[in-house]
Amino acid sequence: MSTATRVIEPLLYTPEEAAEALRLGRSTVYELMADGALEYVKQGRCRRIKVATLKAYVAGMPTETTTH
């Protein structure tokens, strides 16, 4: 019998989890949310950020090109 545990990928992240995933500071994520750069859902007092929103934010970030 299998004893493997099933990992469930989250669909929503807390701002703290989003900050960790983006490798940004927590306050930076809150600023992005306040500025409208990161959309979030609010359930009661809780704010959550969709995984798709994080991926879209990263995909839309400008890339820096260097010339040598």
Side-chain angles (χ1 to χ4, degrees):
M1 196 165 203
S2 176
T3 59
T5 58
R6 196 174 99 197
V7 176
I8 299 174
E9 294 294 323
L11 299 174
L12 299 171
Y13 283 115
T14 65
E16 292 78 11
E17 292 168 333
E20 187 176 338
L22 294 171
R23 304 296 193 258
L24 297 173
R26 185 178 72 88
S27 52
T28 301
V29 169
Y30 277 104
E31 288 173 12
L32 291 169
M33 291 166 61
D35 293 343
L38 272 181
E39 293 181 2
Y40 61 91
V41 294
K42 189 173 176 184
Q43 193 69 31
R45 293 178 54 198
C46 298
R47 288 169 177 76
R48 299 292 184 262
I49 303 166
K50 295 178 182 180
V51 172
T53 300
L54 294 176
K55 289 181 179 182
Y57 175 76
V58 171
M61 293 176 83
T63 55
E64 185 176 320
T65 58
T66 58
T67 57
H68 294 277

